[in-house]
Amino acid sequence: MGTCICAVFIVYMGNVLDRKGYSLVVYNLVLAFLSSAAVYIAGGAGIGNHPDRIVLGLNMVLISGLGVANGIRDVLNKAFLSGLLNVVNSFLGAVAIACGTGLAMMLFEGKMYGMYIAPSIAVQFISCGIASMGFALMFQAAVRQSVSAGIGGTVNCACYLLVQELSGNDFAAVMAAATFVAAYAYIMSRVHRAPATIFLTTSIMPVIPGATLFYMMHGFVQADYGLAFRQTIALVQTCLAIAFGFLVIEIATRYTGGKRD
């Protein structure tokens, strides 16, 4: 319940800041600080458990890990300027989030531990489906399109877990999941007669390295350079896997389109 209240507060304050025209850095810094402070104050008062997990979950609403993946994909497609802008924008947003959270941790003596993933596969499936559908609704997609996005997010999670179990290779698992999402988005764009981007940017959410991006910047802000280095390597690997997965379907669709022509 506390998480839901904080999420509603983030949306409300986000709309207030957006109307005032603040930059992404100010937007993320203020929201990350206010939400983290609220959680740590509540935790200090004995309301709720695991405030670090709640803070990370709330920060995922702000982090633009997709911008990094899209930026690398643009660079691979030789759109160097747009790719660089996407990457820089995501990194600046992550720096602001890490600074806002770090300030709240210092003022209210909060702690941040390693990322925790629910061991229940059913919980992971449901969470990924709801998250993807929620992002689609947030992007003002139609309800039917949002439901399809949620299904895509659930199957994306299933693809990742299956390949991870069979191969033990995280890069292969992310690439397989991204390949499925790109193909799914292509099909759904024809089923719903809507842009593929709606389904691509929402169904891919379960494998977007938002937490990795946050922990990388958190490591730099807290001077934990070992953590920052490990998370940087993981971030680059994940983004490359997503970009390669997208490119596989993009090349395939261009080839099949050229054959029809």
Side-chain angles (χ1 to χ4, degrees):
M1 180 61 70
T3 305
C4 292
I5 294 173
C6 287
V8 171
F9 174 72
I10 285 179
V11 173
Y12 171 75
M13 287 301 301
N15 288 332
V16 171
L17 293 174
D18 194 47
R19 285 197 299 269
K20 292 183 178 294
Y22 287 108
S23 67
L24 175 68
V25 172
V26 175
Y27 180 96
N28 281 359
L29 178 66
V30 172
L31 289 183
F33 171 74
L34 291 177
S35 61
S36 300
V39 171
Y40 285 128
I41 290 173
I47 303 172
N49 299 313
H50 306 297
D52 58 309
R53 299 178 189 174
I54 297 174
V55 167
L56 181 58
L58 291 171
N59 284 338
M60 290 302 100
V61 179
L62 302 174
I63 288 177
S64 180
L66 184 62
V68 180
N70 283 341
I72 292 179
R73 187 189 64 170
D74 288 344
V75 170
L76 293 175
N77 281 327
K78 299 182 180 179
F80 299 110
L81 182 58
S82 64
L84 181 62
L85 288 174
N86 268 324
V87 173
V88 170
N89 192 53
S90 294
F91 273 74
L92 288 175
V95 169
I97 295 168
C99 289
T101 304
L103 180 60
M105 289 170 61
M106 287 190 296
L107 292 177
F108 302 103
E109 299 182 352
K111 301 291 184 181
M112 182 64 67
Y113 303 100
M115 184 173 61
Y116 173 82
I117 298 177
S120 170
I121 293 179
V123 170
Q124 293 183 44
F125 284 173
I126 294 171
S127 300
C128 289
I130 292 175
S132 295
M133 185 170 66
F135 269 101
L137 291 170
M138 189 175 69
F139 295 148
Q140 298 183 345
V143 174
R144 288 182 64 249
Q145 296 170 357
S146 300
V147 171
S148 295
I151 294 172
T154 300
V155 182
N156 174 16
C157 178
C159 286
Y160 172 82
L161 293 176
L162 178 61
V163 177
Q164 173 76 356
E165 179 68 24
L166 294 176
S167 68
N169 188 312
D170 192 68
F171 185 92
V174 173
M175 184 173 174
T179 302
F180 159 77
V181 168
Y184 182 78
Y186 179 80
I187 295 170
M188 287 298 104
S189 68
R190 278 143 183 79
V191 171
H192 293 279
R193 296 182 180 179
T197 306
I198 295 174
F199 309 100
L200 190 69
T201 56
T202 52
S203 295
I204 195 63
M205 292 309 299
V207 293
I208 286 296
T212 306
L213 180 59
F214 170 77
Y215 277 116
M216 181 187 74
M217 291 306 176
H218 178 70
F220 282 119
V221 170
Q222 299 295 322
D224 187 349
Y225 299 114
L227 172 65
F229 178 76
R230 292 192 301 273
Q231 296 301 320
T232 300
I233 298 299
L235 176 69
V236 172
Q237 289 177 339
T238 303
C239 290
L240 285 175
I242 293 172
F244 287 153
F246 285 175
L247 282 176
V248 167
I249 301 303
E250 189 170 332
I251 292 170
T253 53
R254 286 185 181 180
Y255 176 78
T256 54
K259 293 283 284 185
R260 291 195 197 98
D261 295 337

